[in-house]
mmCIF file of all heavy atoms in Angstrom:
data_model
loop_
_atom_site.group_PDB
_atom_site.id
_atom_site.type_symbol
_atom_site.label_atom_id
_atom_site.label_comp_id
_atom_site.label_asym_id
_atom_site.label_seq_id
_atom_site.Cartn_x
_atom_site.Cartn_y
_atom_site.Cartn_z
ATOM 1 N N ALA A 44 -2.735 25.769 -20.538
ATOM 2 C CA ALA A 44 -2.678 24.350 -21.024
ATOM 3 C C ALA A 44 -1.345 23.731 -20.652
ATOM 4 O O ALA A 44 -1.236 22.578 -20.277
ATOM 5 C CB ALA A 44 -2.928 24.337 -22.526
ATOM 6 N N ASN A 45 -0.318 24.547 -20.794
ATOM 7 C CA ASN A 45 1.072 24.054 -20.493
ATOM 8 C C ASN A 45 1.184 23.697 -19.006
ATOM 9 O O ASN A 45 1.657 22.564 -18.654
ATOM 10 C CB ASN A 45 2.054 25.200 -20.822
ATOM 11 C CG ASN A 45 3.508 24.846 -20.551
ATOM 12 O OD1 ASN A 45 4.163 25.639 -19.849
ATOM 13 N ND2 ASN A 45 3.999 23.805 -21.068
ATOM 14 N N THR A 46 0.629 24.519 -18.108
ATOM 15 C CA THR A 46 0.643 24.225 -16.711
ATOM 16 C C THR A 46 -0.192 23.013 -16.331
ATOM 17 O O THR A 46 0.292 22.130 -15.568
ATOM 18 C CB THR A 46 0.092 25.429 -15.930
ATOM 19 O OG1 THR A 46 1.002 26.553 -16.033
ATOM 20 C CG2 THR A 46 -0.137 25.130 -14.470
ATOM 21 N N LYS A 47 -1.380 22.941 -16.927
ATOM 22 C CA LYS A 47 -2.200 21.763 -16.642
ATOM 23 C C LYS A 47 -1.513 20.449 -17.060
ATOM 24 O O LYS A 47 -1.472 19.430 -16.322
ATOM 25 C CB LYS A 47 -3.532 21.896 -17.419
ATOM 26 C CG LYS A 47 -4.552 20.800 -17.288
ATOM 27 C CD LYS A 47 -5.893 21.211 -17.888
ATOM 28 C CE LYS A 47 -6.951 20.087 -17.779
ATOM 29 N NZ LYS A 47 -6.666 19.023 -18.852
ATOM 30 N N ASP A 48 -0.793 20.497 -18.191
ATOM 31 C CA ASP A 48 -0.070 19.320 -18.697
ATOM 32 C C ASP A 48 1.082 18.935 -17.805
ATOM 33 O O ASP A 48 1.298 17.774 -17.512
ATOM 34 C CB ASP A 48 0.408 19.549 -20.127
ATOM 35 C CG ASP A 48 0.985 18.335 -20.707
ATOM 36 O OD1 ASP A 48 0.319 17.297 -20.872
ATOM 37 O OD2 ASP A 48 2.245 18.357 -20.928
ATOM 38 N N ILE A 49 1.809 19.915 -17.298
ATOM 39 C CA ILE A 49 2.924 19.661 -16.400
ATOM 40 C C ILE A 49 2.471 19.011 -15.156
ATOM 41 O O ILE A 49 3.022 18.000 -14.717
ATOM 42 C CB ILE A 49 3.625 21.027 -16.030
ATOM 43 C CG1 ILE A 49 4.389 21.612 -17.253
ATOM 44 C CG2 ILE A 49 4.596 20.835 -14.853
ATOM 45 C CD1 ILE A 49 4.741 23.083 -17.070
ATOM 46 N N LYS A 50 1.365 19.470 -14.542
ATOM 47 C CA LYS A 50 0.857 18.942 -13.327
ATOM 48 C C LYS A 50 0.353 17.540 -13.542
ATOM 49 O O LYS A 50 0.577 16.595 -12.728
ATOM 50 C CB LYS A 50 -0.226 19.814 -12.724
ATOM 51 C CG LYS A 50 0.323 21.131 -12.191
ATOM 52 C CD LYS A 50 -0.737 22.057 -11.607
ATOM 53 C CE LYS A 50 -0.127 23.311 -10.985
ATOM 54 N NZ LYS A 50 -1.157 24.283 -10.520
ATOM 55 N N GLU A 51 -0.340 17.310 -14.614
ATOM 56 C CA GLU A 51 -0.877 16.002 -14.912
ATOM 57 C C GLU A 51 0.280 14.969 -15.213
ATOM 58 O O GLU A 51 0.286 13.844 -14.726
ATOM 59 C CB GLU A 51 -1.920 15.973 -16.061
ATOM 60 C CG GLU A 51 -3.193 16.677 -15.659
ATOM 61 C CD GLU A 51 -4.170 16.941 -16.854
ATOM 62 O OE1 GLU A 51 -3.732 16.646 -17.993
ATOM 63 O OE2 GLU A 51 -5.243 17.433 -16.588
ATOM 64 N N ALA A 52 1.256 15.458 -15.906
ATOM 65 C CA ALA A 52 2.420 14.590 -16.246
ATOM 66 C C ALA A 52 3.198 14.257 -15.011
ATOM 67 O O ALA A 52 3.681 13.076 -14.822
ATOM 68 C CB ALA A 52 3.312 15.277 -17.229
ATOM 69 N N ALA A 53 3.238 15.167 -14.046
ATOM 70 C CA ALA A 53 4.005 14.894 -12.762
ATOM 71 C C ALA A 53 3.352 13.705 -12.029
ATOM 72 O O ALA A 53 4.012 12.838 -11.524
ATOM 73 C CB ALA A 53 4.032 16.142 -11.912
ATOM 74 N N LYS A 54 2.021 13.720 -12.084
ATOM 75 C CA LYS A 54 1.279 12.612 -11.469
ATOM 76 C C LYS A 54 1.536 11.282 -12.216
ATOM 77 O O LYS A 54 1.898 10.239 -11.587
ATOM 78 C CB LYS A 54 -0.202 12.880 -11.409
ATOM 79 C CG LYS A 54 -0.624 13.934 -10.415
ATOM 80 C CD LYS A 54 -2.118 14.024 -10.238
ATOM 81 C CE LYS A 54 -2.499 15.269 -9.434
ATOM 82 N NZ LYS A 54 -3.424 16.184 -10.209
ATOM 83 N N ARG A 55 1.477 11.376 -13.550
ATOM 84 C CA ARG A 55 1.704 10.155 -14.335
ATOM 85 C C ARG A 55 3.094 9.609 -14.106
ATOM 86 O O ARG A 55 3.297 8.379 -14.107
ATOM 87 C CB ARG A 55 1.558 10.495 -15.864
ATOM 88 C CG ARG A 55 0.136 10.676 -16.346
ATOM 89 C CD ARG A 55 0.058 10.639 -17.871
ATOM 90 N NE ARG A 55 0.786 11.761 -18.486
ATOM 91 C CZ ARG A 55 0.211 12.986 -18.772
ATOM 92 N NH1 ARG A 55 -1.075 13.179 -18.374
ATOM 93 N NH2 ARG A 55 0.879 13.941 -19.371
ATOM 94 N N HIS A 56 4.040 10.500 -13.879
ATOM 95 C CA HIS A 56 5.437 10.051 -13.664
ATOM 96 C C HIS A 56 5.810 9.849 -12.208
ATOM 97 O O HIS A 56 6.943 9.687 -11.867
ATOM 98 C CB HIS A 56 6.409 11.001 -14.361
ATOM 99 C CG HIS A 56 6.324 10.968 -15.878
ATOM 100 N ND1 HIS A 56 7.126 10.242 -16.676
ATOM 101 C CD2 HIS A 56 5.383 11.543 -16.751
ATOM 102 C CE1 HIS A 56 6.786 10.356 -17.903
ATOM 103 N NE2 HIS A 56 5.739 11.139 -17.985
ATOM 104 N N ASP A 57 4.794 10.006 -11.329
ATOM 105 C CA ASP A 57 4.982 9.825 -9.890
ATOM 106 C C ASP A 57 6.109 10.649 -9.367
ATOM 107 O O ASP A 57 7.003 10.151 -8.639
ATOM 108 C CB ASP A 57 5.239 8.321 -9.590
ATOM 109 C CG ASP A 57 5.080 8.084 -8.035
ATOM 110 O OD1 ASP A 57 4.417 8.952 -7.376
ATOM 111 O OD2 ASP A 57 5.686 7.110 -7.566
ATOM 112 N N VAL A 58 6.039 11.966 -9.720
ATOM 113 C CA VAL A 58 7.056 12.914 -9.254
ATOM 114 C C VAL A 58 6.442 13.829 -8.233
ATOM 115 O O VAL A 58 5.274 14.240 -8.381
ATOM 116 C CB VAL A 58 7.567 13.742 -10.474
ATOM 117 C CG1 VAL A 58 8.264 15.017 -10.001
ATOM 118 C CG2 VAL A 58 8.444 12.935 -11.371
ATOM 119 N N ASN A 59 7.147 14.128 -7.190
ATOM 120 C CA ASN A 59 6.706 15.101 -6.183
ATOM 121 C C ASN A 59 7.052 16.472 -6.757
ATOM 122 O O ASN A 59 8.177 16.921 -6.710
ATOM 123 C CB ASN A 59 7.434 14.842 -4.850
ATOM 124 C CG ASN A 59 7.106 15.920 -3.847
ATOM 125 O OD1 ASN A 59 6.278 16.764 -4.085
ATOM 126 N ND2 ASN A 59 7.770 15.835 -2.698
ATOM 127 N N LEU A 60 6.005 17.124 -7.272
ATOM 128 C CA LEU A 60 6.193 18.413 -7.963
ATOM 129 C C LEU A 60 5.908 19.607 -7.043
ATOM 130 O O LEU A 60 4.876 19.638 -6.397
ATOM 131 C CB LEU A 60 5.242 18.520 -9.118
ATOM 132 C CG LEU A 60 5.262 19.789 -9.955
ATOM 133 C CD1 LEU A 60 6.571 19.910 -10.738
ATOM 134 C CD2 LEU A 60 4.077 19.889 -10.915
ATOM 135 N N ILE A 61 6.897 20.452 -6.903
ATOM 136 C CA ILE A 61 6.667 21.735 -6.199
ATOM 137 C C ILE A 61 6.558 22.819 -7.255
ATOM 138 O O ILE A 61 7.521 23.078 -7.998
ATOM 139 C CB ILE A 61 7.852 22.110 -5.302
ATOM 140 C CG1 ILE A 61 8.069 20.934 -4.275
ATOM 141 C CG2 ILE A 61 7.528 23.378 -4.484
ATOM 142 C CD1 ILE A 61 9.294 21.143 -3.396
ATOM 143 N N PHE A 62 5.363 23.333 -7.420
ATOM 144 C CA PHE A 62 5.060 24.187 -8.606
ATOM 145 C C PHE A 62 4.917 25.622 -8.098
ATOM 146 O O PHE A 62 4.248 25.906 -7.163
ATOM 147 C CB PHE A 62 3.760 23.720 -9.223
ATOM 148 C CG PHE A 62 3.433 24.461 -10.521
ATOM 149 C CD1 PHE A 62 3.938 24.016 -11.731
ATOM 150 C CD2 PHE A 62 2.609 25.611 -10.505
ATOM 151 C CE1 PHE A 62 3.592 24.699 -12.905
ATOM 152 C CE2 PHE A 62 2.300 26.288 -11.673
ATOM 153 C CZ PHE A 62 2.780 25.813 -12.842
ATOM 154 N N SER A 63 5.608 26.541 -8.821
ATOM 155 C CA SER A 63 5.471 27.964 -8.468
ATOM 156 C C SER A 63 5.016 28.790 -9.692
ATOM 157 O O SER A 63 5.580 28.646 -10.768
ATOM 158 C CB SER A 63 6.876 28.458 -8.034
ATOM 159 O OG SER A 63 6.906 29.876 -8.095
ATOM 160 N N ASP A 64 4.067 29.697 -9.486
ATOM 161 C CA ASP A 64 3.569 30.581 -10.543
ATOM 162 C C ASP A 64 4.175 31.966 -10.281
ATOM 163 O O ASP A 64 3.957 32.596 -9.246
ATOM 164 C CB ASP A 64 2.055 30.657 -10.455
ATOM 165 C CG ASP A 64 1.440 31.667 -11.426
ATOM 166 O OD1 ASP A 64 2.135 32.659 -11.759
ATOM 167 O OD2 ASP A 64 0.330 31.434 -11.870
ATOM 168 N N ALA A 65 4.984 32.474 -11.199
ATOM 169 C CA ALA A 65 5.727 33.694 -10.980
ATOM 170 C C ALA A 65 4.952 34.945 -11.276
ATOM 171 O O ALA A 65 5.456 36.045 -11.171
ATOM 172 C CB ALA A 65 7.005 33.693 -11.848
ATOM 173 N N GLN A 66 3.741 34.793 -11.719
ATOM 174 C CA GLN A 66 2.811 35.945 -12.017
ATOM 175 C C GLN A 66 3.545 36.944 -12.930
ATOM 176 O O GLN A 66 3.584 38.125 -12.713
ATOM 177 C CB GLN A 66 2.374 36.595 -10.709
ATOM 178 C CG GLN A 66 1.355 35.779 -9.994
ATOM 179 C CD GLN A 66 1.535 35.661 -8.497
ATOM 180 O OE1 GLN A 66 2.202 36.506 -7.912
ATOM 181 N NE2 GLN A 66 0.914 34.642 -7.914
ATOM 182 N N GLN A 67 4.202 36.420 -14.027
ATOM 183 C CA GLN A 67 4.796 37.228 -15.086
ATOM 184 C C GLN A 67 5.995 38.062 -14.595
ATOM 185 O O GLN A 67 6.312 39.064 -15.218
ATOM 186 C CB GLN A 67 3.769 38.267 -15.616
ATOM 187 C CG GLN A 67 2.512 37.680 -16.251
ATOM 188 C CD GLN A 67 2.823 36.811 -17.440
ATOM 189 O OE1 GLN A 67 2.675 35.582 -17.368
ATOM 190 N NE2 GLN A 67 3.288 37.359 -18.520
ATOM 191 N N LYS A 68 6.611 37.632 -13.470
ATOM 192 C CA LYS A 68 7.747 38.469 -13.009
ATOM 193 C C LYS A 68 9.022 37.635 -12.918
ATOM 194 O O LYS A 68 9.082 36.595 -12.236
ATOM 195 C CB LYS A 68 7.480 39.084 -11.618
ATOM 196 C CG LYS A 68 6.405 40.196 -11.689
ATOM 197 C CD LYS A 68 6.333 40.863 -10.329
ATOM 198 C CE LYS A 68 5.332 42.066 -10.361
ATOM 199 N NZ LYS A 68 3.899 41.527 -10.575
ATOM 200 N N GLN A 69 10.111 38.047 -13.621
ATOM 201 C CA GLN A 69 11.329 37.294 -13.563
ATOM 202 C C GLN A 69 11.876 37.211 -12.135
ATOM 203 O O GLN A 69 12.349 36.126 -11.743
ATOM 204 C CB GLN A 69 12.393 37.897 -14.480
ATOM 205 C CG GLN A 69 13.738 37.114 -14.456
ATOM 206 C CD GLN A 69 14.757 37.682 -15.396
ATOM 207 O OE1 GLN A 69 14.783 38.864 -15.709
ATOM 208 N NE2 GLN A 69 15.642 36.848 -15.904
ATOM 209 N N GLU A 70 11.695 38.333 -11.369
ATOM 210 C CA GLU A 70 12.306 38.223 -10.031
ATOM 211 C C GLU A 70 11.580 37.141 -9.171
ATOM 212 O O GLU A 70 12.177 36.538 -8.331
ATOM 213 C CB GLU A 70 12.238 39.599 -9.266
ATOM 214 C CG GLU A 70 10.863 40.149 -8.997
ATOM 215 C CD GLU A 70 10.387 41.129 -10.049
ATOM 216 O OE1 GLU A 70 10.820 40.985 -11.212
ATOM 217 O OE2 GLU A 70 9.552 42.006 -9.683
ATOM 218 N N ASN A 71 10.328 36.887 -9.522
ATOM 219 C CA ASN A 71 9.616 35.811 -8.720
ATOM 220 C C ASN A 71 10.125 34.448 -9.159
ATOM 221 O O ASN A 71 10.213 33.521 -8.322
ATOM 222 C CB ASN A 71 8.109 35.869 -9.001
ATOM 223 C CG ASN A 71 7.486 37.000 -8.209
ATOM 224 O OD1 ASN A 71 8.098 37.572 -7.310
ATOM 225 N ND2 ASN A 71 6.241 37.332 -8.578
ATOM 226 N N GLN A 72 10.564 34.322 -10.418
ATOM 227 C CA GLN A 72 11.156 33.049 -10.842
ATOM 228 C C GLN A 72 12.449 32.822 -10.133
ATOM 229 O O GLN A 72 12.798 31.723 -9.693
ATOM 230 C CB GLN A 72 11.318 33.031 -12.363
ATOM 231 C CG GLN A 72 9.997 32.967 -13.152
ATOM 232 C CD GLN A 72 10.188 32.486 -14.558
ATOM 233 O OE1 GLN A 72 10.594 33.264 -15.442
ATOM 234 N NE2 GLN A 72 9.916 31.205 -14.836
ATOM 235 N N ILE A 73 13.261 33.870 -10.086
ATOM 236 C CA ILE A 73 14.601 33.767 -9.416
ATOM 237 C C ILE A 73 14.421 33.408 -7.913
ATOM 238 O O ILE A 73 15.063 32.539 -7.402
ATOM 239 C CB ILE A 73 15.353 35.084 -9.585
ATOM 240 C CG1 ILE A 73 15.773 35.207 -11.088
ATOM 241 C CG2 ILE A 73 16.578 35.134 -8.648
ATOM 242 C CD1 ILE A 73 16.314 36.611 -11.434
ATOM 243 N N LYS A 74 13.401 34.062 -7.251
ATOM 244 C CA LYS A 74 13.130 33.723 -5.832
ATOM 245 C C LYS A 74 12.722 32.284 -5.682
ATOM 246 O O LYS A 74 13.155 31.570 -4.802
ATOM 247 C CB LYS A 74 12.024 34.645 -5.274
ATOM 248 C CG LYS A 74 12.506 36.067 -5.065
ATOM 249 C CD LYS A 74 11.357 36.957 -4.687
ATOM 250 C CE LYS A 74 11.726 38.461 -4.632
ATOM 251 N NZ LYS A 74 10.498 39.336 -4.570
ATOM 252 N N ALA A 75 11.874 31.818 -6.625
ATOM 253 C CA ALA A 75 11.356 30.452 -6.564
ATOM 254 C C ALA A 75 12.513 29.453 -6.718
ATOM 255 O O ALA A 75 12.578 28.477 -5.961
ATOM 256 C CB ALA A 75 10.283 30.244 -7.634
ATOM 257 N N ILE A 76 13.358 29.712 -7.652
ATOM 258 C CA ILE A 76 14.508 28.803 -7.918
ATOM 259 C C ILE A 76 15.383 28.775 -6.654
ATOM 260 O O ILE A 76 15.837 27.706 -6.210
ATOM 261 C CB ILE A 76 15.284 29.190 -9.160
ATOM 262 C CG1 ILE A 76 14.453 28.999 -10.420
ATOM 263 C CG2 ILE A 76 16.626 28.421 -9.302
ATOM 264 C CD1 ILE A 76 15.012 29.555 -11.727
ATOM 265 N N ARG A 77 15.623 29.913 -6.018
ATOM 266 C CA ARG A 77 16.418 29.973 -4.807
ATOM 267 C C ARG A 77 15.681 29.155 -3.730
ATOM 268 O O ARG A 77 16.373 28.490 -2.944
ATOM 269 C CB ARG A 77 16.614 31.454 -4.365
ATOM 270 C CG ARG A 77 17.634 31.611 -3.290
ATOM 271 C CD ARG A 77 18.122 33.109 -3.194
ATOM 272 N NE ARG A 77 19.013 33.459 -4.303
ATOM 273 C CZ ARG A 77 18.846 34.522 -5.065
ATOM 274 N NH1 ARG A 77 17.796 35.318 -4.919
ATOM 275 N NH2 ARG A 77 19.725 34.826 -5.995
ATOM 276 N N THR A 78 14.395 29.245 -3.632
ATOM 277 C CA THR A 78 13.691 28.427 -2.666
ATOM 278 C C THR A 78 13.790 26.937 -2.892
ATOM 279 O O THR A 78 13.992 26.129 -2.001
ATOM 280 C CB THR A 78 12.149 28.798 -2.661
ATOM 281 O OG1 THR A 78 12.067 30.205 -2.408
ATOM 282 C CG2 THR A 78 11.351 28.097 -1.630
ATOM 283 N N PHE A 79 13.727 26.569 -4.189
ATOM 284 C CA PHE A 79 13.909 25.152 -4.536
ATOM 285 C C PHE A 79 15.300 24.665 -4.084
ATOM 286 O O PHE A 79 15.416 23.481 -3.616
ATOM 287 C CB PHE A 79 13.781 24.938 -6.062
ATOM 288 C CG PHE A 79 12.423 25.255 -6.676
ATOM 289 C CD1 PHE A 79 12.315 25.756 -7.953
ATOM 290 C CD2 PHE A 79 11.280 25.075 -5.949
ATOM 291 C CE1 PHE A 79 11.126 26.101 -8.514
ATOM 292 C CE2 PHE A 79 10.031 25.396 -6.512
ATOM 293 C CZ PHE A 79 9.970 25.886 -7.768
ATOM 294 N N ILE A 80 16.286 25.518 -4.266
ATOM 295 C CA ILE A 80 17.645 25.125 -3.812
ATOM 296 C C ILE A 80 17.667 24.899 -2.341
ATOM 297 O O ILE A 80 18.186 23.888 -1.844
ATOM 298 C CB ILE A 80 18.681 26.211 -4.270
ATOM 299 C CG1 ILE A 80 18.791 26.300 -5.765
ATOM 300 C CG2 ILE A 80 20.085 25.944 -3.604
ATOM 301 C CD1 ILE A 80 19.559 27.512 -6.289
ATOM 302 N N ALA A 81 17.027 25.823 -1.623
ATOM 303 C CA ALA A 81 16.967 25.655 -0.126
ATOM 304 C C ALA A 81 16.223 24.369 0.263
ATOM 305 O O ALA A 81 16.533 23.752 1.271
ATOM 306 C CB ALA A 81 16.305 26.898 0.481
#
Side-chain angles (χ1 to χ4, degrees):
N45 179 236
T46 291
K47 181 169 177 285
D48 184 63
I49 291 164
K50 290 181 175 174
E51 289 171 356
K54 288 190 189 120
R55 287 195 291 271
H56 292 264
D57 193 21
V58 162
N59 174 5
L60 178 70
I61 304 174
F62 186 87
S63 161
D64 175 330
Q66 287 138 19
Q67 301 297 111
K68 292 188 175 66
Q69 181 177 28
E70 67 263 26
N71 285 346
Q72 290 200 280
I73 291 169
K74 287 174 189 166
I76 292 171
R77 192 163 285 127
T78 303
F79 297 148
I80 294 169

